[in-house]
Amino acid sequence: MEIDYAKAGLKVGLEIHQQLNTQEKLFCSCKPELFKEEPEITFLRRLRPTQSELGQVDPAAFFEFQKGIKIRYEANRATSCLVEMDEEPPHPLNMDALEVVLTAALMMNMQPIDEVHVMRKTVIDGSNTTGFQRTCIIASDGWIKVGEKIIPMQAASLEEDAARKTGTEDGGKTIRYRIDRLGIPLIEVATAPVIYSPMEAQEVAFAIGRILRDTGKVMRGLGTIRQDLNVSLPNGALIEIKGVQELELISKVVEYEVQRQLGLIQVKEELRSRGIKAEALTDEFVDVSEVFRQTKCKVIRKALDKKQSAMAVKLAGFTGLLKRELMPDFRVGTELSDRAKFWGRVGGVFHTDELPAYGVTAEEVEALRKTVGASEGDAVVFVADTEENILDALKAVVERAREALAGVPAETRTAKGDGTTRYMRPRPGAARMYPETDIPPTLITAELVERIRSNLPEPAEKKQARLMTQYDLNEKLANQLIDSEYGVLFEAIVKETGVAATTVAVFLTEALKSLRRDGVQVENVTDEQITEIFSGVGSGELVKEAVADVFVWLSKNDGKNLQDAVGALGLKMFSKAELAKLVDHVIAENRQSVDQMGKNAFGMLMGIVMKEVRGKADPGLVSALLRERLK
Amino acid sequence: MSKKAESSGYKGEALSALTKAGCQVGDVIRVTSKEKTYEGILIPRSETGDTEHVVVKLKSGYNVGVHVTPNVKIEKVGKGTKPSFASPPLPEQKPELPKAVILSTGGTIASRVDYRTGAVRSALSANDLYGVVPELSDVARVKTEIVFSIYSENLTQKHWSQLAQTVAEHINQGAEGVVIAHGTDTMAYTAAALSFALQNLPVPVILVGAQRSSDRPSSDAATNLIAAVQAATRGPFAEVGLAMHETPSDTAIVVNRGTKVRKCHTSRRDTFEPVNATPIARVENNEVIMLTDYYQKRDAAKKFVVKPEFSEAVALVKFHPGLDPAVIDWHVERGCNGILLEGSGLGHVSKYCFDAVSNAVKRGVVVALASQCIWGRVNMNVYDTGRDLLNLGVIPLEDMFPETALVKLMWVLGQTSDPEEAKKLLKTNIAGEFSPRTLPQEIGVKGDE
């Protein structure tokens, strides 16, 4: 489907979050690292929705609380202290983190705030032990240039990252979160909603990412950067899409969201032309367990065997609409099903637009329709589960069906790896922010701003030109370096190890890109390890041909160093003496040929020796030794 | 107008600029300087903040402080609503449930954000608490009363007396359990004081607090409060207890004896530890589980005695290397009737304090001793120093830790002015403050879970 986005009135705003590479977390002295081992400490909590200053309670939060949702937190001593456990008040704001945000903000031409006030943003899904995320605005009202267009930047904020979900227990009633990530400083940068096409959204995100990398103080790798999109259409709604992890996916996510909204608008119009009113969609749930007493459908069978039941609801006038595709592999029925999963904790719903199928027979569908009194134009939705879950699920289904009459419901969605999005939760109420009184306001003095302004990292264009002249790189390589996450590391390695700039640049750009494509976990190898590898090349312990092999080995072997890799891969270099011995041996073995060919035997001998020592000896040295012996 | 601006915490340059512009807290204002413009709601200023910034809540919800200089222009753009807190509706009372009373004294269990100091302040009434924790309506018919509204560090002996009398009134009116919401800092002192003042209780009296303020979703206030009301109305015991988290988890609330419990951590939820004792009960999954056989039984027919007098002429002197004995003399000169020495180890103070101690005893001051080790029992027969102190007339207070011992001394001297009678009373076990046996599992501070 070719869409004219300008005509459709698309508006996109971006919020980019990236973890900062500081020594400590934002509000305590724990290391900003994750752990993979079993947790040393666990504790169980409940979060209770509190009234905001305006007396409003987040509906999703209140619902979860009513359902008795518990959270089991996992921690270890290296990455969490009492602050993350919400057993101790936060320490003062990490000033290093503030300086990184200020740096990025000044690069985006923003105005620093005079006095920073940390706020509590209510987040009650368990991802924050406190029930709120601490966040503060550091600067506002800037701009960046993307191509020829000026993109206004609304604000740069500093906030704490959240705990990460590691699973659920007890049929979804207990959610597990690991608090290692909680408190890692994040920069959040938000643009105004002035982006008008999917591709432009991606380009702007790319440009912002480049500036953040230029600070040299942001983390890299999967999970360290997260893009949220605010997508709106004039007759649709403002949809908040959370957690797009890959830059390349942004344009697709926007494209799909526009398709989804246009599709929902069509559904609205069709419902209107069918004369369906909200009153026709009622919470009349009918027990249909009897219909499926003999069913071959495994899902329903399993539920009924557990003495659970099956209940159905009629959606007046919806027949044929539920199978309408809104995004690839995503139909109007999926919208209903997602709501049922969220509010009713069920695995999904069945609806008559997709039946007979899944072992449900035409006879059963007929009986089902009859039991709920559905006429030809009506769709029927049903669920098999516990009664509590069914009631919550079907209520949510009817609610969503009513919303279809109005078009696109405003909600928060989460991005999937294929670019489609799924329902995440309702849009939180406006009154989510209140002051974090445990942290005194922090001044951003004119002196601090001046110091940072006079030490800003060079902007990308300037840096590219400098890399080309200073390191004799071609334009393409210089460009790739700037766009990679390794621009800063490149210069450090060249300076420290003396390895040829082109060798380092090619490895950090093209080689890493292809390794990543081959599935190598590139982010597992630290800057220190990469530097160590090139130090090895510089000192002659390693040939440059072996760099990739060592890198791959290190990516698979946590906590090991260059020596371990060299040992494990059998890359120990031949010493000059050993090489000399080998050369002598090869000459002796091929005495006859050498005598016949004289100096012309070089090529052949070189081939034999190198076959033996490839990756473990510098070819230059072999050739020198060979020539000397052949004289 | 300017009066209102003053009460909003603004002073100096910021106050005069706001006054000049005719802006009040809650108004929508625009602040413009050379480089930037902020528009939003004028927020009160913390009193500890400087005089040069005004705080604006932006449309995004963020607060920012804007530096006020002569070049900065402040305008009022519109009238806004004042930040305020509306009480939620109270849940319905169920006639079949027991009658409980929740008394409020202030503190973290009942607090809201305070713009005045920029900190958390006690502000919710006991009534608010009930509305905010609607689950209570499934536990008891709750009556609430605000006795005080002060931080627990501002409570004195007078407040203990008043509180004891208020509790007694409610019990006499038929309360089947009393819960006292209290700041945690001095909650254990109050628990001990009430333990001595309320004797032969017919029903439980449970103190409860919170280590995380009730304005945050992770607050322990509600969980503790619900469990406290459950323990007060359903517990088979009739003593003064203190109910708080048992671990950092929200799963179990433990009730400790008022005379044997101490705040042992500045910030953790499980800050209250039983000292030289077993907890009385645990509340878990809405069940009250008894943890000991050693307790006073609930019995509505009991003859309840109230002895709410506490002396104010009692001092605590902590021994430390280099303590100036003149401190003891000073207390005696000031007319102190009782001194609690917080001795080292098994119960010692240095020889250079002996003259001062001896002088105090001769002047009719009751001098008693508890150990600063907190855990364990005083034994003054082991070393010379201990025996010498006994000979000087110092009363050893067994396995009472210093805070309970101090409160007991205040209470004893509130009952009698005769030193000999006071000493006798001091050595009598009134409210489980002495335990005859110290068991190995009760020694020491809890480590990490």
mmCIF file of all heavy atoms in Angstrom, chain A residues 79-111:
data_model
loop_
_atom_site.group_PDB
_atom_site.id
_atom_site.type_symbol
_atom_site.label_atom_id
_atom_site.label_comp_id
_atom_site.label_asym_id
_atom_site.label_seq_id
_atom_site.Cartn_x
_atom_site.Cartn_y
_atom_site.Cartn_z
ATOM 1 N N THR A 79 25.949 -5.439 42.098
ATOM 2 C CA THR A 79 25.254 -4.470 41.254
ATOM 3 C C THR A 79 24.115 -3.734 41.964
ATOM 4 O O THR A 79 23.514 -2.848 41.369
ATOM 5 C CB THR A 79 24.670 -5.164 39.996
ATOM 6 O OG1 THR A 79 23.763 -6.187 40.427
ATOM 7 C CG2 THR A 79 25.759 -5.797 39.165
ATOM 8 N N SER A 80 23.790 -4.117 43.204
ATOM 9 C CA SER A 80 22.716 -3.415 43.907
ATOM 10 C C SER A 80 23.038 -3.249 45.380
ATOM 11 O O SER A 80 23.678 -4.112 45.982
ATOM 12 C CB SER A 80 21.395 -4.193 43.830
ATOM 13 O OG SER A 80 21.113 -4.570 42.523
ATOM 14 N N CYS A 81 22.552 -2.149 45.939
ATOM 15 C CA CYS A 81 22.661 -1.934 47.376
ATOM 16 C C CYS A 81 21.257 -1.618 47.888
ATOM 17 O O CYS A 81 20.264 -1.803 47.187
ATOM 18 C CB CYS A 81 23.634 -0.807 47.691
ATOM 19 S SG CYS A 81 23.084 0.818 47.116
ATOM 20 N N LEU A 82 21.173 -1.119 49.096
ATOM 21 C CA LEU A 82 19.853 -0.839 49.670
ATOM 22 C C LEU A 82 19.099 0.238 48.886
ATOM 23 O O LEU A 82 17.878 0.294 48.938
ATOM 24 C CB LEU A 82 19.989 -0.402 51.139
ATOM 25 C CG LEU A 82 20.414 -1.490 52.133
ATOM 26 C CD1 LEU A 82 20.439 -0.923 53.543
ATOM 27 C CD2 LEU A 82 19.498 -2.698 52.078
ATOM 28 N N VAL A 83 19.815 1.089 48.151
ATOM 29 C CA VAL A 83 19.122 2.144 47.394
ATOM 30 C C VAL A 83 18.225 1.518 46.326
ATOM 31 O O VAL A 83 17.047 1.840 46.226
ATOM 32 C CB VAL A 83 20.119 3.141 46.772
ATOM 33 C CG1 VAL A 83 19.396 4.114 45.843
ATOM 34 C CG2 VAL A 83 20.846 3.917 47.867
ATOM 35 N N GLU A 84 18.758 0.576 45.554
ATOM 36 C CA GLU A 84 17.936 -0.073 44.522
ATOM 37 C C GLU A 84 16.820 -0.894 45.157
ATOM 38 O O GLU A 84 15.782 -1.099 44.555
ATOM 39 C CB GLU A 84 18.769 -1.008 43.640
ATOM 40 C CG GLU A 84 19.717 -0.312 42.687
ATOM 41 C CD GLU A 84 21.086 -0.191 43.286
ATOM 42 O OE1 GLU A 84 21.211 -0.164 44.532
ATOM 43 O OE2 GLU A 84 22.056 -0.119 42.512
ATOM 44 N N MET A 85 17.071 -1.403 46.356
ATOM 45 C CA MET A 85 16.042 -2.209 47.018
ATOM 46 C C MET A 85 14.949 -1.330 47.613
ATOM 47 O O MET A 85 14.017 -1.830 48.226
ATOM 48 C CB MET A 85 16.680 -3.060 48.130
ATOM 49 C CG MET A 85 17.579 -4.168 47.618
ATOM 50 S SD MET A 85 18.441 -5.017 48.983
ATOM 51 C CE MET A 85 17.089 -5.923 49.719
ATOM 52 N N ASP A 86 15.110 -0.016 47.480
ATOM 53 C CA ASP A 86 14.193 0.929 48.106
ATOM 54 C C ASP A 86 14.199 0.742 49.623
ATOM 55 O O ASP A 86 13.188 0.868 50.295
ATOM 56 C CB ASP A 86 12.761 0.786 47.544
ATOM 57 C CG ASP A 86 11.839 1.898 48.019
ATOM 58 O OD1 ASP A 86 12.303 3.045 48.072
ATOM 59 O OD2 ASP A 86 10.674 1.613 48.349
ATOM 60 N N GLU A 87 15.363 0.405 50.145
ATOM 61 C CA GLU A 87 15.515 0.272 51.592
ATOM 62 C C GLU A 87 16.386 1.397 52.144
ATOM 63 O O GLU A 87 16.745 1.410 53.304
ATOM 64 C CB GLU A 87 16.151 -1.089 51.937
ATOM 65 C CG GLU A 87 15.231 -2.279 51.721
ATOM 66 C CD GLU A 87 14.226 -2.476 52.863
ATOM 67 O OE1 GLU A 87 13.987 -1.547 53.640
ATOM 68 O OE2 GLU A 87 13.674 -3.576 52.962
ATOM 69 N N GLU A 88 16.773 2.321 51.280
ATOM 70 C CA GLU A 88 17.597 3.455 51.702
ATOM 71 C C GLU A 88 17.291 4.608 50.749
ATOM 72 O O GLU A 88 17.106 4.373 49.549
ATOM 73 C CB GLU A 88 19.082 3.068 51.609
ATOM 74 C CG GLU A 88 20.028 4.153 52.067
ATOM 75 C CD GLU A 88 21.508 3.770 51.896
ATOM 76 O OE1 GLU A 88 21.849 2.582 52.032
ATOM 77 O OE2 GLU A 88 22.297 4.677 51.624
ATOM 78 N N PRO A 89 17.229 5.830 51.267
ATOM 79 C CA PRO A 89 16.969 6.967 50.364
ATOM 80 C C PRO A 89 18.092 7.119 49.332
ATOM 81 O O PRO A 89 19.216 6.684 49.574
ATOM 82 C CB PRO A 89 16.937 8.171 51.307
ATOM 83 C CG PRO A 89 16.725 7.612 52.669
ATOM 84 C CD PRO A 89 17.322 6.239 52.665
ATOM 85 N N PRO A 90 17.794 7.736 48.191
ATOM 86 C CA PRO A 90 18.819 7.912 47.158
ATOM 87 C C PRO A 90 19.937 8.835 47.634
ATOM 88 O O PRO A 90 19.713 9.701 48.476
ATOM 89 C CB PRO A 90 18.036 8.573 46.016
ATOM 90 C CG PRO A 90 16.880 9.243 46.681
ATOM 91 C CD PRO A 90 16.509 8.356 47.825
ATOM 92 N N HIS A 91 21.131 8.615 47.110
ATOM 93 C CA HIS A 91 22.246 9.534 47.367
ATOM 94 C C HIS A 91 22.109 10.705 46.389
ATOM 95 O O HIS A 91 21.316 10.637 45.449
ATOM 96 C CB HIS A 91 23.567 8.804 47.172
ATOM 97 C CG HIS A 91 23.731 7.594 48.057
ATOM 98 N ND1 HIS A 91 24.867 6.840 48.077
ATOM 99 C CD2 HIS A 91 22.886 7.015 48.955
ATOM 100 C CE1 HIS A 91 24.731 5.837 48.939
ATOM 101 N NE2 HIS A 91 23.534 5.924 49.482
ATOM 102 N N PRO A 92 22.915 11.779 46.566
ATOM 103 C CA PRO A 92 22.786 12.910 45.637
ATOM 104 C C PRO A 92 23.050 12.508 44.181
ATOM 105 O O PRO A 92 23.713 11.511 43.914
ATOM 106 C CB PRO A 92 23.849 13.885 46.135
ATOM 107 C CG PRO A 92 24.043 13.539 47.571
ATOM 108 C CD PRO A 92 23.832 12.063 47.674
ATOM 109 N N LEU A 93 22.529 13.316 43.277
ATOM 110 C CA LEU A 93 22.634 13.091 41.834
ATOM 111 C C LEU A 93 24.097 12.922 41.399
ATOM 112 O O LEU A 93 24.961 13.697 41.816
ATOM 113 C CB LEU A 93 22.019 14.318 41.148
ATOM 114 C CG LEU A 93 21.679 14.272 39.691
ATOM 115 C CD1 LEU A 93 20.571 13.255 39.456
ATOM 116 C CD2 LEU A 93 21.181 15.659 39.255
ATOM 117 N N ASN A 94 24.342 11.925 40.559
ATOM 118 C CA ASN A 94 25.673 11.674 40.009
ATOM 119 C C ASN A 94 26.050 12.810 39.038
ATOM 120 O O ASN A 94 25.467 12.946 37.970
ATOM 121 C CB ASN A 94 25.635 10.319 39.290
ATOM 122 C CG ASN A 94 26.952 9.949 38.637
ATOM 123 O OD1 ASN A 94 27.782 10.803 38.350
ATOM 124 N ND2 ASN A 94 27.128 8.660 38.409
ATOM 125 N N MET A 95 27.027 13.633 39.440
ATOM 126 C CA MET A 95 27.340 14.822 38.658
ATOM 127 C C MET A 95 28.016 14.484 37.328
ATOM 128 O O MET A 95 27.915 15.238 36.368
ATOM 129 C CB MET A 95 28.201 15.798 39.469
ATOM 130 C CG MET A 95 27.446 16.512 40.580
ATOM 131 S SD MET A 95 25.977 17.428 39.993
ATOM 132 C CE MET A 95 26.748 18.925 39.365
ATOM 133 N N ASP A 96 28.721 13.346 37.273
ATOM 134 C CA ASP A 96 29.321 12.932 35.993
ATOM 135 C C ASP A 96 28.225 12.704 34.958
ATOM 136 O O ASP A 96 28.358 13.095 33.800
ATOM 137 C CB ASP A 96 30.117 11.627 36.166
ATOM 138 C CG ASP A 96 31.376 11.843 36.976
ATOM 139 O OD1 ASP A 96 31.764 13.027 37.149
ATOM 140 O OD2 ASP A 96 31.958 10.852 37.442
ATOM 141 N N ALA A 97 27.147 12.062 35.413
ATOM 142 C CA ALA A 97 26.040 11.776 34.499
ATOM 143 C C ALA A 97 25.410 13.089 34.044
ATOM 144 O O ALA A 97 25.105 13.279 32.859
ATOM 145 C CB ALA A 97 25.008 10.894 35.189
ATOM 146 N N LEU A 98 25.244 14.006 34.987
ATOM 147 C CA LEU A 98 24.658 15.303 34.623
ATOM 148 C C LEU A 98 25.514 15.997 33.557
ATOM 149 O O LEU A 98 25.005 16.576 32.604
ATOM 150 C CB LEU A 98 24.548 16.176 35.879
ATOM 151 C CG LEU A 98 23.796 17.500 35.695
ATOM 152 C CD1 LEU A 98 23.001 17.837 36.951
ATOM 153 C CD2 LEU A 98 24.718 18.656 35.361
ATOM 154 N N GLU A 99 26.829 15.885 33.702
ATOM 155 C CA GLU A 99 27.717 16.550 32.733
ATOM 156 C C GLU A 99 27.600 15.939 31.332
ATOM 157 O O GLU A 99 27.689 16.650 30.340
ATOM 158 C CB GLU A 99 29.166 16.507 33.224
ATOM 159 C CG GLU A 99 29.378 17.444 34.404
ATOM 160 C CD GLU A 99 30.852 17.660 34.738
ATOM 161 O OE1 GLU A 99 31.718 17.275 33.930
ATOM 162 O OE2 GLU A 99 31.114 18.206 35.820
ATOM 163 N N VAL A 100 27.402 14.616 31.273
ATOM 164 C CA VAL A 100 27.255 13.991 29.953
ATOM 165 C C VAL A 100 25.990 14.521 29.269
ATOM 166 O O VAL A 100 25.999 14.882 28.088
ATOM 167 C CB VAL A 100 27.181 12.451 30.056
ATOM 168 C CG1 VAL A 100 27.034 11.848 28.660
ATOM 169 C CG2 VAL A 100 28.414 11.892 30.745
ATOM 170 N N VAL A 101 24.902 14.591 30.036
ATOM 171 C CA VAL A 101 23.649 15.076 29.449
ATOM 172 C C VAL A 101 23.803 16.534 29.017
ATOM 173 O O VAL A 101 23.347 16.930 27.941
ATOM 174 C CB VAL A 101 22.484 14.924 30.448
ATOM 175 C CG1 VAL A 101 21.200 15.511 29.865
ATOM 176 C CG2 VAL A 101 22.275 13.456 30.805
ATOM 177 N N LEU A 102 24.477 17.291 29.867
ATOM 178 C CA LEU A 102 24.690 18.703 29.538
ATOM 179 C C LEU A 102 25.512 18.835 28.252
ATOM 180 O O LEU A 102 25.235 19.682 27.395
ATOM 181 C CB LEU A 102 25.406 19.367 30.722
ATOM 182 C CG LEU A 102 25.268 20.861 30.891
ATOM 183 C CD1 LEU A 102 23.822 21.309 30.809
ATOM 184 C CD2 LEU A 102 25.873 21.277 32.232
ATOM 185 N N THR A 103 26.515 17.975 28.110
ATOM 186 C CA THR A 103 27.342 17.982 26.905
ATOM 187 C C THR A 103 26.482 17.731 25.663
ATOM 188 O O THR A 103 26.524 18.494 24.692
ATOM 189 C CB THR A 103 28.435 16.890 27.006
ATOM 190 O OG1 THR A 103 29.167 17.105 28.200
ATOM 191 C CG2 THR A 103 29.357 16.932 25.812
ATOM 192 N N ALA A 104 25.690 16.657 25.723
ATOM 193 C CA ALA A 104 24.841 16.332 24.569
ATOM 194 C C ALA A 104 23.849 17.458 24.306
ATOM 195 O O ALA A 104 23.598 17.825 23.152
ATOM 196 C CB ALA A 104 24.103 15.019 24.831
ATOM 197 N N ALA A 105 23.306 18.031 25.376
ATOM 198 C CA ALA A 105 22.306 19.092 25.229
ATOM 199 C C ALA A 105 22.913 20.315 24.546
ATOM 200 O O ALA A 105 22.298 20.922 23.668
ATOM 201 C CB ALA A 105 21.744 19.468 26.594
ATOM 202 N N LEU A 106 24.131 20.662 24.938
ATOM 203 C CA LEU A 106 24.771 21.830 24.328
ATOM 204 C C LEU A 106 25.088 21.543 22.860
ATOM 205 O O LEU A 106 25.005 22.432 22.010
ATOM 206 C CB LEU A 106 26.038 22.213 25.095
ATOM 207 C CG LEU A 106 25.797 22.774 26.505
ATOM 208 C CD1 LEU A 106 27.121 23.040 27.213
ATOM 209 C CD2 LEU A 106 24.963 24.054 26.462
ATOM 210 N N MET A 107 25.427 20.292 22.557
ATOM 211 C CA MET A 107 25.673 19.937 21.154
ATOM 212 C C MET A 107 24.394 20.035 20.336
ATOM 213 O O MET A 107 24.439 20.136 19.118
ATOM 214 C CB MET A 107 26.257 18.523 21.061
ATOM 215 C CG MET A 107 27.673 18.448 21.603
ATOM 216 S SD MET A 107 28.246 16.740 21.727
ATOM 217 C CE MET A 107 28.749 16.435 20.041
ATOM 218 N N MET A 108 23.249 19.958 21.027
ATOM 219 C CA MET A 108 21.966 20.087 20.330
ATOM 220 C C MET A 108 21.399 21.497 20.518
ATOM 221 O O MET A 108 20.202 21.712 20.383
ATOM 222 C CB MET A 108 20.986 19.039 20.841
ATOM 223 C CG MET A 108 21.468 17.625 20.561
ATOM 224 S SD MET A 108 20.274 16.410 21.133
ATOM 225 C CE MET A 108 21.301 14.954 21.190
ATOM 226 N N ASN A 109 22.273 22.413 20.893
ATOM 227 C CA ASN A 109 21.899 23.835 20.977
ATOM 228 C C ASN A 109 20.774 24.110 21.975
ATOM 229 O O ASN A 109 19.956 25.005 21.772
ATOM 230 C CB ASN A 109 21.504 24.359 19.602
ATOM 231 C CG ASN A 109 22.575 24.073 18.568
ATOM 232 O OD1 ASN A 109 23.673 24.613 18.670
ATOM 233 N ND2 ASN A 109 22.288 23.177 17.643
ATOM 234 N N MET A 110 20.730 23.322 23.051
ATOM 235 C CA MET A 110 19.681 23.545 24.049
ATOM 236 C C MET A 110 20.143 24.537 25.110
ATOM 237 O O MET A 110 21.321 24.823 25.246
ATOM 238 C CB MET A 110 19.323 22.216 24.729
ATOM 239 C CG MET A 110 18.630 21.231 23.815
ATOM 240 S SD MET A 110 17.895 19.912 24.802
ATOM 241 C CE MET A 110 18.006 18.562 23.659
ATOM 242 N N GLN A 111 19.152 25.043 25.850
ATOM 243 C CA GLN A 111 19.423 25.958 26.959
ATOM 244 C C GLN A 111 19.390 25.177 28.275
ATOM 245 O O GLN A 111 18.366 24.575 28.586
ATOM 246 C CB GLN A 111 18.349 27.053 27.023
ATOM 247 C CG GLN A 111 18.231 27.880 25.763
ATOM 248 C CD GLN A 111 19.485 28.668 25.489
ATOM 249 O OE1 GLN A 111 20.238 29.012 26.410
ATOM 250 N NE2 GLN A 111 19.737 28.941 24.225
#
